């Protein structure tokens, strides 16, 4: 029996090379090894994106992105989070086991508070919905970028807590309710930096999107912020390291030391080669969006059936079946 892998990406904008190298590529690389569940986290996106048309459009686009990078719907159950409404029910149950001080320690929440934002209850509770996504499917591994590590730990803690509280109750079923999931983080990738040197993120407007054309590649590379200090354009180098092995990259940057224009041209060339086949594949897939909708429908039904079954156990455990 294969172990279960699950992960998701929020449909809050265009997928970028940080998403790809930090998380999405792993989904493709691991889909043979694991029983694989990949979803579009539209309920999570609602914490920041409140526009019906945009959310629907982005969700379909993320599905296209997944297929274009090589997720195979024969191997991977691809679905929308909102097609499994049971996760909201489970998140409520987790809310009742979780304390406020514990959620107040979440980095994402603390950052939002530090930036003086008026934080919604959804943002505060984000880790519990994510725990529900993960635990409802009995996931063993969760491939994510380094920034999501703490969230997977929240899921693990929540599974432990639920098991501690309810598995001893005398309600018939004494097996462990939830598996304890593990985050899969590529150590050599970690956090990919954007064109301004901060973490690449849709919310910072500093991304290099996947599937872009030659002109956009050029424009974005030319706008990578270079510091003139050390002779090494750090930000260019960091992005470039995604496309070349360390040795040939170091040789190139040594040879062209200080020649930022040359180095940016080399990065443009490598990015162009990388994007071309991905873009071509996506263009073909985008011609018939109904195929994508059908894939999501089938995946959603499969994911929901598993979740519904899991919820029967959970309801029995807590005494509401
Ligand atoms: P964003 O921050 O751009 O909104 P998401 O939160 O949707 O991205 O992240 C989707 C996945 O991509 C997550 O697993 C996340 O850890 C990963 N990821 C996002 N940005 C980066 C980055 N800069 N470096 C590495 N991984 C990333
Ligand atoms: N929080 C993740 C992100 O911002 C998206 C996500 C939601 C997720 N639920 C998940 C990732 C469950 C892995 C597993 O990228």
């Amino acid at each position: 029996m294969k172990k279960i892998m699950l992960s998701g990406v929020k449909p809050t904008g265009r997928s970028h090379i940080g998403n790809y190298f930090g998380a999405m590529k792993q989904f493709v690389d691991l889909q043979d090894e694991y029983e694989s569940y990949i979803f579009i986290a539209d309920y999570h996106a609602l914490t920041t994106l409140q526009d019906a048309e945009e959310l629907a459009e982005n969700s379909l686009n993320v599905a296209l992105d997944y297929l274009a990078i090589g997720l195979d719907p024969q191997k991977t159950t691809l679905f929308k989070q909102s097609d499994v409404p049971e996760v909201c029910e489970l998140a409520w149950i987790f809310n009742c086991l979780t304390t406020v001080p514990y959620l107040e320690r979440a980095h994402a929440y603390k950052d939002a508070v530090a930036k003086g934002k008026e934080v919604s209850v959804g943002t505060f509770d984000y880790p519990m919905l994510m725990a529900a996504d993960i635990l409802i499917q009995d996931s063993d591994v969760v491939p994510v970028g380094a920034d999501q590590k703490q969230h997977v730990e929240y899921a693990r803690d929540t599974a432990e807590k639920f098991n501690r509280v309810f598995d001893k109750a005398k309600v018939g079923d004494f097996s462990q309710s939830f598996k304890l999931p593990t985050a899969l983080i590529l150590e050599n990738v970690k956090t990919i930096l954007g064109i301004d040197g901060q973490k690449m993120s849709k919310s910072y407007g500093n991304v290099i999107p996947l599937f872009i054309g030659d002109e956009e590649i050029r424009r974005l590379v030319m706008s990578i912020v270079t510091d003139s200090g050390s002779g090494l354009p750090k930000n260019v180098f960091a992005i470039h390291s995604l496309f070349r092995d360390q040795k040939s990259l170091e040789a190139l940057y040594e040879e062209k030391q200080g020649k930022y224009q040359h180095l940016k041209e080399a990065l443009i060339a490598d990015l162009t080669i990388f994007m071309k086949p991905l873009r071509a594949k996506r263009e073909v897939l985008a011609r018939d969006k109904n195929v994508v909708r059908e894939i999501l429908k089938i995946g959603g039904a499969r994911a929901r059936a598993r979740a519904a079954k899991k919820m029967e156990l959970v309801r029995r455990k807590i005494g509401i079946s």
Side-chain angles (χ1 to χ4, degrees):
M1 279 261 280
K2 285 182 179 175
K3 289 198 164 183
I4 295 175
M5 161 173 97
L6 171 135
S7 194
V9 173
K10 281 180 295 179
T12 44
R14 294 158 85 190
S15 304
H16 53 78
I17 58 172
N19 298 141
Y20 180 73
F21 289 103
M24 292 165 79
K25 184 174 181 295
Q26 284 201 83
F27 308 165
V28 179
D29 294 343
L30 297 173
Q31 65 181 339
D32 288 313
E33 189 179 332
Y34 292 94
E35 182 178 329
S36 156
Y37 296 85
I38 299 296
F39 68 97
I40 298 153
D42 46 3
Y43 275 140
H44 274 115
L46 194 60
T47 57
T48 53
L49 174 58
Q50 294 162 358
D51 180 303
E53 249 173 60
E54 210 180 320
L55 185 63
E57 194 182 316
N58 285 352
S59 297
L60 202 62
N61 276 328
V62 173
L64 270 170
D65 297 347
Y66 277 139
L67 295 168
I69 62 166
L71 270 193
D72 177 351
Q74 302 297 329
K75 296 177 183 166
T76 295
T77 300
L78 182 60
F79 65 103
K80 283 200 304 183
Q81 182 183 36
S82 56
D83 282 336
V84 185
E86 285 79 3
V87 290
C88 296
E89 181 185 355
L90 185 57
W92 171 258
I93 295 167
F94 290 161
N95 280 342
C96 297
L97 298 177
T98 303
T99 67
V100 169
Y102 174 68
L103 281 180
E104 276 172 344
R105 290 202 290 272
H107 303 314
Y109 168 73
K110 283 203 291 198
D111 286 353
V113 173
K115 285 183 182 147
K117 289 190 187 153
E118 207 168 64
V119 180
S120 71
V121 176
T123 300
F124 182 62
D125 198 33
Y126 189 108
M128 291 300 103
L129 182 58
M130 182 154 160
D133 293 329
I134 295 170
L135 301 180
I136 210 165
Q137 300 292 351
D138 284 327
S139 313
D140 294 292
V141 296
V142 184
V144 282
D147 62 315
Q148 294 297 314
K149 186 169 187 249
Q150 190 194 30
H151 283 153
V152 180
E153 280 159 10
Y154 268 98
R156 200 182 162 88
D157 289 351
T158 305
E160 270 184 327
K161 180 135 196 202
F162 186 100
N163 294 351
R164 196 164 64 240
V165 173
F166 290 109
D167 282 351
K168 287 192 209 77
K170 290 190 172 70
V171 285
D173 190 342
F174 290 87
S175 60
Q176 176 182 291
S177 296
F178 290 113
K179 282 193 206 165
L180 307 188
T182 311
L184 280 186
I185 295 165
L186 292 176
E187 282 309 311
N188 58 341
V189 173
K190 294 216 169 131
T191 299
I192 291 148
L193 304 180
I195 57 174
D196 59 355
Q198 287 191 80
K199 177 198 162 211
M200 186 177 289
S201 171
K202 282 166 270 187
S203 38
Y204 300 157
N206 63 356
V207 309
I208 298 184
L210 274 177
F211 312 110
I212 53 176
D214 298 354
E215 253 173 58
E216 201 174 356
I217 292 176
R218 173 163 295 275
R219 184 175 60 75
L220 287 170
V221 171
M222 286 307 166
S223 62
I224 296 174
V225 178
T226 47
D227 54 355
S228 47
S230 60
L232 176 78
K234 268 194 311 218
N235 300 333
V236 182
F237 185 87
I239 294 173
H240 213 159
S241 66
L242 299 167
F243 303 97
R244 283 211 195 185
D245 65 82
Q246 196 68 15
K247 230 170 131 194
S248 90
L249 200 65
E250 276 168 12
L252 175 72
Y253 279 66
E254 180 86 55
E255 188 197 327
K256 306 279 184 203
Q257 207 178 7
K259 296 181 175 154
Y260 291 1
Q261 193 64 27
H262 276 90
L263 292 169
K264 282 189 167 180
E265 288 295 343
L267 175 57
I268 289 172
D270 287 347
L271 262 168
T272 306
I273 292 168
F274 165 78
M275 289 290 181
K276 202 174 169 195
L278 288 181
R279 195 170 64 236
K281 184 148 182 222
R282 197 180 188 286
E283 275 165 15
V284 172
L285 289 161
R287 282 185 207 142
D288 193 353
K289 297 219 168 115
N290 281 333
V291 173
V292 183
R293 288 192 186 95
E294 191 58 28
I295 290 169
L296 289 176
K297 198 170 141 194
I298 293 168
R302 206 181 297 154
R304 186 169 192 190
R306 288 172 55 89
K309 192 152 167 257
K310 188 80 193 177
M311 284 312 294
E312 280 175 21
L313 169 80
V314 171
R315 293 191 200 105
R316 215 164 53 237
K317 291 269 178 165
I318 66 170
I320 61 169
S321 63

